[in-house]
Amino acid sequence: MNFRPTPAELLARARADLRMGVPVVLVDHSGSTLVLPVETLSDDRLNSLRKIGGVPVLIITGRRAETLKARAYDGDVARIPLPDSADLAWVQAVADPADDLRLPMKGPLKTLRDGNAGLARLASMIMKSARLLPAALLLELPEGRAFAAQNGLTLLDTTEIRAEMAQASPLREIVSAHVPLSVSEGTRLHVFRPDDGGEEHYAVEIGRPARDKPVLTRLHSACFTGDLLGSLKCDCGPQLRAALARMGKEGAGVLLYLNQEGRGIGLANKMRAYSLQDQGFDTVEANHRLGFEDDERDFLIGAHILKSMGFNSVRLLTNNPRKVDMMAHAGIKVAERVPLQVGRTAHNDAYLKTKANKSGHLL
């Protein structure tokens, strides 16, 4: 019998640990490193880290470094040796831009130029996948495997983890059932679950769309504030309802509801971005100040679901050319791009202009 966790299962365990503030250990051929998440870091664990010895390194993304006027010699990540005087408030202020305007950062921040940034880059990716701020404290360990065993910490082999994160997790349909909707009583809801323990995704199949013809399709990213609460800050809710209405009117279609809130950064980080927008930053600037890219979503998930349902060609309801390109890249033919221009309000006019000017949306 073999009960040993797979790399995907260990990665899922590590994400859960990090969200609770529990560190993990990364090991590779060159050594091992202790990784502590900044967002959920405590005074107690920061003090314990210092007692180990050595110089901890605070890692942030290149986007966040740009905001702080710090040099990111490694491009997409910057490594900052932790000053002896740095306390928890200082560490978290480097990662979280909430008070950047009220309490400008003291600097300049010293960043490392030499050395291997591979583990720093991997740690940043893991933080993002855990829906945390992409910042962490790293400390080299002489005996990482023994340290992990002694402290009950999750141990990740970086070779296996890199391979796991480089590919999309397989998605499996768990169940489907008839769910009559106001737009169409002939609707089935399909639930797909990834093997890596991530969020489930849903396919809303209206009518009985033919598998040998382009199906009217919408890739819709979850938006709690817009879809459920009717927020006026975005056009997500109107787009969701308009897409379903059109499919109902045509008698067939597939709406993929992908749990990639806030362009893939999660609801908490999305609310952080909203708070920054209240300070005068646009949606792209807010994401960058948090340390994220413009868009962190993986649209290949939608392509995998469509293929598993037997579809290879779509009429895509979207204003986003990137979705068209990603579908084609994933082997789904886009026979037609169907515009979906609804939901503009006085509250989201600037947001939509930013999407058009900076993200290429066709509005």
Side-chain angles (χ1 to χ4, degrees):
M1 293 187 293
N2 182 12
F3 295 108
R4 180 180 176 80
T6 66
E9 291 164 344
L10 284 172
L11 185 56
R13 179 187 296 176
R15 292 189 184 108
D17 287 348
L18 293 166
R19 288 175 63 85
M20 293 185 292
V22 180
V24 301
V25 176
L26 300 180
V27 297
D28 64 9
H29 65 279
S30 63
S32 53
T33 299
L34 182 65
V35 180
L36 291 85
V38 168
E39 181 178 335
T40 51
L41 185 64
S42 66
D43 274 315
D44 181 57
R45 285 204 166 103
L46 178 57
N47 293 333
S48 296
L49 178 69
R50 291 189 186 279
K51 292 176 182 177
I52 297 175
V55 180
V57 175
L58 172 59
I59 64 155
I60 56 176
T61 67
R63 291 294 191 186
R64 180 64 181 145
E66 183 180 5
T67 294
L68 299 175
K69 303 296 187 287
R71 291 186 180 274
Y73 293 109
D74 304 309
D76 53 349
V77 292
R79 294 170 290 145
I80 305 168
L82 189 66
D84 292 337
S85 60
D87 59 9
L88 178 61
W90 185 90
V91 172
Q92 293 185 328
V94 171
D96 190 342
D99 287 329
D100 278 1
L101 298 186
R102 186 173 65 88
L103 299 171
M105 301 303 301
K106 303 297 182 183
L109 293 172
K110 177 185 176 182
T111 56
L112 298 176
R113 182 195 296 265
D114 300 321
N116 187 352
L119 289 182
R121 187 170 291 112
L122 181 60
S124 178
M125 292 170 58
I126 294 173
M127 296 301 153
K128 285 185 178 182
S129 70
R131 300 293 186 259
L132 295 170
L133 287 170
L137 283 173
L138 274 58
L139 180 67
E140 291 187 15
L141 297 171
E143 296 291 341
R145 293 182 185 276
F147 186 91
Q150 291 166 4
N151 292 275
L153 302 180
T154 299
L155 182 76
L156 300 176
D157 184 303
T158 60
T159 302
E160 296 176 338
I161 295 307
R162 283 196 177 95
E164 190 66 38
M165 298 190 72
Q167 59 187 3
S169 176
L171 284 161
R172 306 180 191 281
E173 183 170 352
I174 302 303
V175 67
S176 70
H178 174 232
V179 182
L181 302 182
S182 59
V183 297
S184 173
E185 294 184 2
T187 299
R188 292 192 71 82
L189 178 64
H190 304 256
V191 177
F192 290 82
R193 181 178 297 162
D195 287 354
D196 66 359
E199 295 95 341
E200 294 174 348
H201 305 284
Y202 319 122
V204 182
E205 183 179 11
I206 291 178
R208 296 185 177 180
R211 268 53 178 175
D212 59 348
K213 297 179 180 178
V215 58
L216 185 63
T217 302
R218 165 74 179 164
L219 272 65
H220 189 90
S221 297
C223 178
F224 173 77
T225 51
D227 298 343
L228 186 61
L229 302 183
S231 168
L232 301 177
K233 282 181 67 71
C234 65
D235 55 345
C236 301
Q239 285 190 327
L240 172 64
R241 289 181 283 277
L244 288 172
R246 172 129 186 197
M247 293 174 187
K249 183 178 180 180
E250 294 196 10
V254 175
L255 185 138
L256 302 181
Y257 197 86
L258 308 178
N259 275 309
Q260 301 190 106
E261 181 84 41
R263 297 183 186 174
I265 65 177
L267 183 57
N269 287 319
K270 173 181 166 179
M271 290 300 98
R272 290 187 174 107
Y274 274 18
S275 180
L276 292 174
Q277 289 172 37
D278 290 340
Q279 296 180 28
F281 302 103
D282 67 34
T283 181
V284 171
E285 292 167 342
N287 268 29
H288 290 179
R289 293 186 79 86
L290 287 165
F292 296 102
E293 296 301 319
D294 303 18
D295 196 332
E296 298 275 356
R297 290 175 292 183
D298 180 6
F299 293 125
L300 295 179
I301 294 172
H304 294 160
I305 292 176
L306 287 168
K307 287 181 179 180
S308 72
M309 295 178 68
F311 298 106
N312 293 296
S313 179
V314 297
R315 295 165 54 222
L316 196 60
L317 275 160
T318 186
N319 303 320
N320 186 354
R322 183 172 173 238
K323 289 184 180 180
V324 177
D325 294 340
M326 291 298 291
M327 287 294 99
H329 176 71
I332 298 291
K333 179 181 178 182
V334 180
E336 177 187 4
R337 184 189 72 83
V338 182
L340 190 61
Q341 298 176 0
V342 295
R344 185 182 290 271
T345 71
H347 294 275
N348 65 28
D349 185 66
Y351 164 76
L352 294 179
K353 287 179 179 177
T354 299
K355 288 210 299 185
N357 295 334
K358 294 189 174 182
S359 301
H361 288 229
L362 303 175
L363 300 175

